[in-house]
């Protein structure tokens, strides 16, 4: 019995070991199948981005990975919609220029293309764009130009500066601003303004622009007379001069007939009508008078003599200085000094020299007559003494006393006083010349 029991135990043990071996073999087989399934899934995920459908079909048809890889490398269409022809006629591919003898047309660049580069698209044309001036910028830019023009009077320079600006629809403001500034200035400024409008007309200003400016001036006359009481007459003169210079059309005045209610506007239009009727066919060049250096020298000398004679009667130095200022000839003030000194030498009145010294002192202290102009006037007298002495007896002694008095009053310098000539300096008349003068006088 013991032997049978031991034999059955050994047999049971052997069966257990066999069962364990079979179980281990089954597990190894399951693990092997799981590895193959995971590997196939990884290949499927890798190829799904290119063609997931065809990848699944190829894997489902054959579990062999080599067959799927061969299909993925194929250049033929796998969608079933291709013609079965190679791409680009077999001339495509990386680093390939194209098929032999193939000619490409010039492709027009698309401006909406993100890679569009304007600098590389053929010939580039550059153009300067000047922005249009607004109201505040207009006055800041144009006012200094007009003020400088009143000093130099060069219309070409003004035209060059204005050409660099973009006025746009504000061209009519240029004549309006120019005329408004000249109304508060001198007659010479108004003459320069009329010339500027005539020179700019047809080039930078149209007739419509000037007409719009004068329309606004006529409407603003009630405000302009607050600063310039003579504004209606002056605007009328501007209108007449502009029409005579063909800056305004001949129909400008006719457009206002029966449509004017403002008294100041009516005065301006009446003034223009009268000037045009009196000077029909003329340019009205003297509508503002002849001012400054435009006057002839003889006329300036005559006006300065008249100024000095009126001063000797009125003894008003302020009035004399104002009259000299209105002549607008600071470069010709030496003529006034010359005429004043000669008048003092020729005068028989006792207080004439004192009044002349008083006037010269006033002009010197106010700075109206400069040192250069004062010296030039006296030196001209010194040089003309040989001729003056022929008509004025004792002119040399009188001149020395007058120059000494001027030096005491601070009108002339010590150096200029020392230059005062005497008869001993060779300024005397020889006997032959004196005899000729005496015979001529007889």
């Amino acid at each position: 019995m013991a032997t049978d029991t031991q034999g059955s135990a050994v047999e049971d043990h052997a069966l257990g070991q066999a069962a364990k071996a079979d179980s281990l073999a089954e597990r190894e087989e399951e693990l092997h199948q799981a590895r193959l399934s995971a590997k196939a899934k990884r290949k499927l995920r890798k190829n799904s981005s290119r063609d997931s459908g065809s990848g699944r079909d190829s894997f489902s048809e054959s579990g062999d990975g080599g067959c799927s890889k061969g299909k993925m490398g194929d250049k033929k269409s796998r969608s079933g919609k291709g013609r079965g022809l190679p791409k680009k006629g077999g001339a495509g591919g990386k680093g390939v220029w194209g098929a032999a003898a193939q000619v490409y047309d010039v492709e027009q660049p698309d401006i909406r293309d993100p890679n569009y580069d304007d600098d590389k698209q053929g010939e580039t044309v550059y153009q300067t764009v000047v922005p249009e001036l607004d109201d505040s910028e207009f006055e800041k830019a144009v006012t200094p130009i007009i003020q400088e023009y009143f000093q130099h009077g060069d219309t070409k320079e003004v035209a060059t500066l204005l050409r660099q600006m973009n006025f746009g629809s504000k061209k009519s403001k240029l004549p309006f601003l120019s005329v408004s500034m000249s109304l508060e200035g001198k007659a010479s400024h108004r003459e320069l303004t009329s010339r500027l409008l005539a020179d700019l007309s047809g080039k930078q200003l149209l007739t419509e622009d000037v007409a719009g400016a004068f329309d606004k001036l006529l409407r603003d006359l009630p405000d302009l007379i607050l600063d310039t009481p003579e504004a209606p007459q002056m605007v009328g003169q501007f209108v007449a001069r502009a029409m005579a210079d063909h800056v305004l059309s001949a129909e400008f005045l006719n457009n206002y007939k029966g449509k004017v209610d403002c008294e100041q506007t009516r005065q301006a239009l009446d003034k223009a009508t009268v000037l045009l009727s009196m000077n029909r066919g003329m340019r009205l060049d003297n509508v503002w008078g002849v001012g400054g250096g435009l006057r002839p020298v003889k006329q300036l000398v005559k006006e300065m003599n008249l100024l000095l004679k009126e001063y000797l009667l009125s003894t008003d130095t302020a009035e004399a200085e104002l009259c000299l200022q209105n002549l607008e000839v600071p470069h010709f003030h030496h003529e006034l000094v010359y005429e004043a000194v000669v008048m003092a030498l020729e005068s028989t009145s006792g207080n004439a020299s004192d009044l002349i010294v008083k006037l010269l002192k006033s002009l010197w202290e106010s700075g109206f007559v400069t040192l250069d102009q004062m010296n030039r006037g006296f030196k001209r007298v010194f040089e003309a003494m040989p001729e003056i002495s022929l008509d004025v007896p004792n002119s040399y002694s009188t001149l020395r006393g007058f120059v000494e008095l001027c030096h005491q009053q601070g009108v002339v310098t010590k150096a200029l006083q020392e230059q005062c000539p005497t008869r001993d300096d060779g300024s005397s008349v020889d006997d032959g010349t004196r005899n000729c003068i005496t015979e001529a006088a007889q």
Side-chain angles (χ1 to χ4, degrees):
M1 291 296 291
T3 303
D4 295 337
T5 303
Q6 292 177 353
S8 61
V10 171
E11 185 178 356
D12 292 338
H13 183 267
L15 291 174
Q17 293 295 328
K20 287 181 179 180
D22 293 339
S23 176
L24 289 174
E26 291 179 358
R27 286 186 179 182
E28 289 179 358
E29 183 66 22
E30 290 179 356
L31 289 173
H32 180 66
Q33 292 295 332
R35 290 191 186 97
L36 292 177
S37 178
K39 185 177 180 180
K41 288 181 178 180
R42 285 195 300 271
K43 290 183 177 182
L44 180 62
R45 286 195 299 269
K46 182 177 180 180
N47 297 324
S48 62
S49 60
R50 299 180 180 179
D51 195 352
S52 57
S54 61
R56 292 192 193 95
D57 294 340
S58 63
F59 181 74
S60 61
E61 291 174 0
S62 174
D64 189 3
C67 181
S68 174
K69 181 178 179 181
K71 289 204 172 199
M72 289 306 300
D74 190 5
K75 296 293 183 179
K76 295 182 180 180
S77 174
R78 293 180 293 278
S79 62
K81 297 181 181 180
R83 296 178 297 167
L85 300 176
K87 290 184 178 180
K88 300 182 182 179
K94 184 177 181 181
V96 178
W97 287 86
Q102 182 176 359
V103 179
Y104 293 94
D105 295 334
V106 178
E107 187 174 343
Q108 296 296 332
D110 186 5
I111 196 172
R112 293 172 295 181
D113 188 351
N115 296 324
Y116 178 82
D117 188 357
D118 185 48
D119 295 337
K120 297 180 180 179
Q121 305 304 324
E123 185 177 356
T124 303
V125 179
Y126 295 94
Q127 183 178 3
T128 303
V129 178
V130 181
E132 182 177 347
L133 298 176
D134 56 19
D135 294 337
S136 60
E137 293 176 347
F138 179 88
E139 292 192 5
K140 292 180 180 178
V142 177
T143 300
I145 297 177
I146 302 300
Q147 290 175 344
E148 292 179 1
Y149 169 66
F150 288 158
Q151 301 297 325
H152 58 72
D154 188 356
T155 58
K156 292 183 179 180
E157 181 177 349
V158 177
T160 303
L161 294 175
L162 296 179
R163 200 177 294 115
Q164 301 173 1
M165 303 178 185
N166 182 12
F167 295 124
S169 59
K170 301 180 179 63
K171 287 186 177 181
S172 61
K173 289 189 175 182
L174 176 60
F176 176 81
L177 181 61
S178 302
V179 175
S180 300
M181 293 175 61
S182 66
L183 291 179
E184 300 178 359
K186 306 174 184 178
S188 59
H189 296 170
R190 293 186 281 275
E191 172 65 24
L192 290 173
T193 301
S194 295
R195 291 185 185 181
L196 179 63
L197 296 181
D199 290 347
L200 296 181
S201 179
K203 301 175 183 177
Q204 293 174 266
L205 290 177
L206 300 177
T207 305
E208 294 77 10
D209 301 328
V210 182
F214 278 104
D215 286 337
K216 191 173 188 308
L217 283 168
L218 292 172
R219 291 194 303 268
D220 292 351
L221 278 176
D223 296 332
L224 293 176
I225 61 174
L226 298 177
D227 297 326
T228 310
E230 301 84 5
Q233 289 76 19
M234 292 181 180
V235 173
Q237 290 174 281
F238 267 115
V239 171
R241 175 67 178 271
M243 294 182 66
D245 290 344
H246 305 289
V247 178
L248 283 176
S249 63
E251 301 297 326
F252 182 79
L253 293 178
N254 296 333
N255 296 332
Y256 282 92
K257 288 184 177 180
K259 302 178 183 179
V260 179
D261 297 330
C262 179
E263 179 63 25
Q264 290 80 13
T265 304
R266 188 179 295 108
Q267 292 177 8
L269 296 175
D270 291 343
K271 180 69 174 180
T273 304
V274 170
L275 289 174
L276 290 172
S277 62
M278 293 175 56
N279 297 273
R280 188 173 301 277
M282 298 179 62
R283 287 174 50 86
L284 291 175
D285 289 336
N286 295 329
V287 69
W288 302 114
V290 181
L294 300 176
R295 289 186 176 94
V297 175
K298 291 183 178 180
Q299 182 181 355
L300 287 173
V301 173
K302 183 178 179 180
E303 292 184 3
M304 288 185 177
N305 274 298
L306 181 62
L307 182 155
L308 292 171
K309 291 178 181 178
E310 291 180 352
Y311 165 70
L312 292 177
L313 294 175
S314 64
T315 67
D316 189 353
T317 56
E319 180 66 22
E321 184 174 342
L322 180 60
C323 293
L324 182 62
Q325 184 177 0
N326 291 335
L327 292 179
E328 301 178 29
V329 283
H331 61 283
F332 204 58
H333 286 172
H334 61 86
E335 178 66 25
L336 177 71
V337 177
Y338 173 82
E339 296 293 339
V341 176
V342 173
M343 190 173 291
L345 296 178
E346 296 177 348
S347 177
T348 56
S349 175
N351 63 343
S353 298
D354 296 335
L355 291 175
I356 295 296
V357 172
K358 179 182 177 183
L359 175 63
L360 295 179
K361 181 180 179 180
S362 175
L363 295 175
W364 170 257
E365 291 179 346
S366 63
F368 197 73
V369 175
T370 62
L371 176 63
D372 177 66
Q373 295 292 314
M374 188 71 71
N375 290 340
R376 287 183 61 184
F378 274 93
K379 288 180 180 180
R380 285 182 57 193
V381 176
F382 297 165
E383 294 172 358
M385 282 304 294
E387 290 78 12
I388 296 175
S389 63
L390 298 178
D391 299 326
V392 181
N394 302 323
S395 57
Y396 282 93
S397 59
T398 306
L399 178 63
R400 285 196 300 270
F402 181 83
V403 173
E404 184 179 356
L405 180 60
C406 290
H407 175 64
Q408 293 175 357
Q409 297 294 328
V411 177
V412 298
T413 62
K414 182 65 175 178
L416 184 63
Q417 182 187 10
E418 293 176 353
Q419 296 179 20
C420 182
T422 62
R423 189 174 295 274
D424 296 336
D425 294 336
S427 301
S428 60
V429 182
D430 57 12
D431 296 337
T433 305
R434 184 179 297 106
N435 294 334
C436 294
I437 296 174
T438 304
E439 295 177 357
Q442 292 175 354

